[in-house]
Each structure stands twice: as C-alpha cells, then as structure tokens.
Amino acid sequence: MRQTFAGLALELSYAMSWTCFVAAFVMVRGLVPAAAGTSVPVLVFGLLGTFAPSIVALGLTARSEGAAGIQSLLGRIFRWRVGVRWYVFAVGYLAMIKIGVALVHRIAVGVWPRFGVEPWYILSVATVLSTPVQAGEEIGWRGYALPLLAARLGLARTSLLLGIIWAIWHLPLFFVPGIDNYGQSFMIFALQVPAISVPMAWLYARTRGSLLLVMLMHGATNQTRNIVPSDVPGAAHALTLSTYLPAWLTVTLLWITACYFLVRMPNIRHPNR
C-alpha cells in the first residue's frame, strides 16, 4: 500500500507540475526571454508547478494518516538539531565540487574555466533566502517519496531512482523562455541531478530525516552551481549533448563522489520519518 501511494504521488506530481509548466510555455510564446522571465504566467505557473510535489505529498498524507501524519511530515522541516558538520556539508558540497572542477580544468587545459560573477556573500544570502522555497519540492521528494520507496528498494537504489525522476520532472522548464534552464543541455542536467540526489539522500538519513538540511542543500546547490557554470551562453537546443568541458568535469566529479556515498551508504530501508 505504501509503495502504491509513492507511485501515485509521483504520477500526480508530474501531472500537476507539467500542466503548470506547459501552461507557462504556451502563455509566454512570442515574448523575448528577458520579458518572459518576469511575466505573470511564468511566475504564477512556475511557482505552482514547483510546489506541486509537496502539495500532492501533503494531500496523500492527509488522506492516509490524517492530521497526525501532516504534523509528522511538516515537523521534519524543524529538525535543526544536528551536527554542525552536516550544515557545512549541505552548504559546501557543490561549492567544493565546482572548486574541484576549476582546479582540474586548470591542470588539464592550462587555463582557468569561466567563473561566475556573484560574490560569496551574495550567494550566502541567496542560499538562506531560497531555502524555505525548497520546501515546495523537498516535502514531496525527500520527505514523502524517499522513505516510501526506500522501504522497498533500499536507500541507495531509491536515491538513484528518485534522482532520475527528479531530473526528468524539470524537462519542460528547458523550453520555457525566461527560466534559467531555457535552451541549455537537458542531457547534461539529467546526468548531474541523480548524482546530486545520492548525497542528498545520505544527508537525509544521517540527520534523522531532517527536511531542513536537504532544503538547505537544495538551495545551496542552486546558488553555487554557477561558481563554475555548466551553462553555455546563448544555448538554444535543450536536447543536444553539450561539448562544454566544465560541464563534463562537473558530471565526472559528481559521479565520483556519488559512487563513494553509494558504496558507504547504510543499508537503510526505513529512513527516519
């Protein structure tokens, strides 16, 4: 029954999110990307689509477990009493990957890659401010689906499966003008996201099911990914495979570290709920 609810949650999340994303795409056709990014349809439908996984998770939890289940699920957002090292891990994981990308690029090619222009303090503030917004996804992905799927598949396999589902969920956003992903290589993105899903599942398990920490990691990942951008300026073909070296170095380092976590990942079938 629990796995049935997990499957239903994923199906409903896709249906609701993609309906919103496609609606945004249809309503902004004809606008230049810069204008589309600030248009009401993109903002409203984009936000609603982003929150769909958690809306679905809360609805199914209310149906199956009632108010007590809702309280338990939302309570994981406030599990903040974990070791300081896990906060450092959440905030610094992708930043360290990107620093590694820069160093490998410098050694291999002889020049530094293109760096982002945002100063560290702006990235820090943006991470803090964006963390609450990640509840829109993380209540659904890590808070609801991860424990249900792990009960059947184990944590390691679930982290990979959920990463693939999470990556494909973003696909329509690569065709909506004004969104950061617009026109970029979805293939590169789809290779990166499952590798990020693995340490996020590790973090969730190690912090006794803290949604706050995975929300923080999600926010930090979004903000620090452009320390060394994988994006190609002016890209317009989302379904092509990028040849940009920093993007492939990012994929490589992400998977090297993901394999480390997969090998060492505890054999947990019931992550803390």
Side-chain angles (χ1 to χ4, degrees), residues 83-198:
V84 173
R85 67 186 185 278
W86 298 120
Y87 283 92
V88 175
F89 181 90
V91 172
Y93 183 80
L94 192 67
M96 295 305 298
I97 292 288
K98 289 296 187 175
I99 291 171
V101 167
L103 292 173
V104 172
H105 192 281
R106 179 69 174 82
I107 294 169
V109 181
V111 297
W112 293 104
R114 174 171 57 95
F115 287 99
V117 297
E118 296 84 1
W120 68 268
Y121 54 87
I122 295 295
L123 296 179
S124 299
V125 172
T127 295
V128 172
L129 294 178
S130 67
T131 294
V133 180
Q134 309 312 322
E137 291 187 49
E138 292 305 331
I139 291 173
W141 299 138
R142 251 61 60 172
Y144 186 82
L146 179 65
L148 292 181
L149 291 173
R152 177 181 179 185
L153 302 175
L155 187 61
R157 284 189 289 178
T158 295
S159 68
L160 290 171
L161 175 61
L162 194 58
I164 295 170
I165 293 168
W166 186 27
I168 297 173
W169 176 82
H170 287 83
L171 177 59
L173 297 176
F174 284 75
F175 300 92
V176 180
I179 300 294
D180 289 343
N181 300 34
Y182 176 65
Q184 295 297 322
S185 173
F186 174 73
M187 305 302 183
I188 289 292
F189 180 85
L191 289 171
Q192 291 180 356
V193 171
I196 294 172
S197 177
V198 172

Side-chain angles (χ1 to χ4, degrees), residues 18 36 55 164 215:
W18 280 28
I55 294 172
I164 295 170
M215 286 162 53

Side-chain angles (χ1 to χ4, degrees), residues 76-96 127-128 131 203 206-208 210-218 220-221:
R76 278 173 264 163
I77 295 175
F78 303 99
R79 289 184 186 173
W80 60 273
R81 292 187 176 182
V82 299
V84 173
R85 67 186 185 278
W86 298 120
Y87 283 92
V88 175
F89 181 90
V91 172
Y93 183 80
L94 192 67
M96 295 305 298
T127 295
V128 172
T131 294
L203 179 64
R206 290 298 186 180
T207 57
R208 307 186 312 276
S210 172
L211 277 176
L212 175 63
L213 268 292
V214 292
M215 286 162 53
L216 179 61
M217 185 171 179
H218 193 157
T221 296

